[in-house]
C-alpha cells in the first residue's frame, strides 16, 4: 500500500503565538513533487497561514498509521484554483499503528446544557478561548460546562465556558472564553498545545 493516496484525510496544523489551529482536509491529487489538497469551506478565516512560502505541519491518517511531515505552500488558494504544498518523500515520518479515523486525531468537545450532552467539533484552540462548530444553536453570553477530550493520552480538560462570539459569516461557529478552569487543567492544556506543535518538527 502506498503511504499517500487520494481521498485520505489530512490535518494541517498551525501554531501561531498561543493559538493551535487544525484544518481538517483531504488529499485531492498526488504529483511528483507536490500534494493537491481539498480545503474545507472555512479555510478563508486562516488564509494568512496558507500563503505561498509558509511552512505547515501535516498529518495524514492511513491504514498503516499516522504520517507526519512538514511542507511549504507552493500554491495559495487565493492565487490558484488548487492549494498545493511540497511533497518530499524523504521527509515523511510514519508512526505505525491501527488505522486512525480523523475524529480520533482531533479534540472532541462535549457541552453539557440542561443535562443534555452535545458533541461539537473544535476549530481553534488557544490558552484564552476556543472556537467550535455545532449543529445546535447557542447565543452570546450563554454559559455551560464543557469537557475537552484530547487525543492519545493527553487527558481531558474540564471547564466552564461562556459564548463570546456567534460568527456573523460562518453558520454554527462559536467562540467561547474559559470562565472557569482549574490550574491543573490549564497547565495540561498548555502542555498539550506545546507537544502538538513540536512533536513533528524536523531539522
Amino acid at each position: 500500500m502506498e503511504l499517500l493516496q487520494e481521498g485520505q484525510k489530512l490535518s494541517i496544523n498551525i501554531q501561531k503565538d498561543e493559538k493551535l489551529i487544525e484544518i481538517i482536509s483531504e488529499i485531492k491529487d498526488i504529483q511528483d513533487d507536490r500534494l493537491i489538497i481539498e480545503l474545507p469551506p472555512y479555510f478563508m478565516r486562516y488564509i494568512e497561514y496558507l500563503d505561498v512560502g509558509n511552512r505547515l505541519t501535516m498529518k495524514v491518517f492511513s491504514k498503516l498509521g499516522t504520517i507526519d511531515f512538514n511542507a511549504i505552500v507552493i500554491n495559495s488558494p487565493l492565487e490558484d484554483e488548487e492549494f498545493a504544498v511540497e511533497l518530499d518523500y524523504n521527509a515523511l515520518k510514519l508512526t505505525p499503528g491501527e488505522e486512525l479515523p480523523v475524529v480520533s486525531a482531533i479534540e472532541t468537545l462535549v457541552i453539557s446544557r440542561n443535562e443534555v450532552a452535545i458533541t461539537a467539533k473544535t476549530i481553534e484552540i488557544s490558552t484564552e478561548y476556543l472556537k467550535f462548530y455545532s449543529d445546535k444553536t447557542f447565543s452570546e453570553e450563554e454559559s455551560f460546562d464543557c469537557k475537552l477530550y484530547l487525543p492519545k493520552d493527553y487527558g481531558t480538560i474540564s471547564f466552564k465556558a461562556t459564548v463570546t462570539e456567534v460568527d456573523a459569516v460562518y453558520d454554527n461557529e462559536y467562540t467561547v472564553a474559559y470562565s472557569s478552569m482549574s490550574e491543573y487543567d490549564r497547565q495540561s492544556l498548555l502542555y498539550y498545545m506545546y507537544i502538538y506543535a513540536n512533536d513533528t518538527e524536523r531539522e
Side-chain angles (χ1 to χ4, degrees), residues 85-134:
V85 300
E86 69 166 357
L87 175 58
D88 178 2
Y89 280 97
N90 294 322
L92 303 184
K93 174 186 174 184
L94 172 65
T95 302
E98 298 178 357
E99 182 175 9
L100 297 175
V102 70
V103 70
S104 295
I106 60 174
E107 309 82 13
T108 299
L109 179 68
V110 176
I111 298 167
S112 296
R113 184 168 70 173
N114 299 326
E115 299 184 356
V116 175
I118 300 170
T119 300
K121 178 179 178 182
T122 58
I123 296 175
E124 181 177 320
I125 297 176
S126 83
T127 55
E128 300 297 330
Y129 66 86
L130 181 148
K131 291 184 179 180
F132 69 91
Y133 170 87
S134 174

Side-chain angles (χ1 to χ4, degrees), residues 124-171:
E124 181 177 320
I125 297 176
S126 83
T127 55
E128 300 297 330
Y129 66 86
L130 181 148
K131 291 184 179 180
F132 69 91
Y133 170 87
S134 174
D135 57 2
K136 304 296 183 182
T137 300
F138 296 88
S139 57
E140 284 194 28
E141 299 187 3
E142 181 178 357
S143 296
F144 35 76
D145 293 321
C146 296
K147 286 187 180 295
L148 181 65
Y149 295 88
L150 304 178
K152 299 181 181 179
D153 297 321
Y154 291 117
T156 302
I157 307 297
S158 300
F159 57 93
K160 190 175 186 64
T162 300
V163 178
T164 57
E165 180 183 354
V166 177
D167 200 289
V169 178
Y170 302 93
D171 293 336

Side-chain angles (χ1 to χ4, degrees), residues 1 9 13 35 41 45 62 64-65 70 72 91 99 107 115 129 151 162 176-177 189:
M1 173 185 174
K9 293 297 183 183
N13 304 302
L35 278 182
R45 65 166 64 244
S62 77
L64 298 179
N70 288 353
I72 297 175
E99 182 175 9
E107 309 82 13
E115 299 184 356
Y129 66 86
T162 300
V176 297
L189 179 61

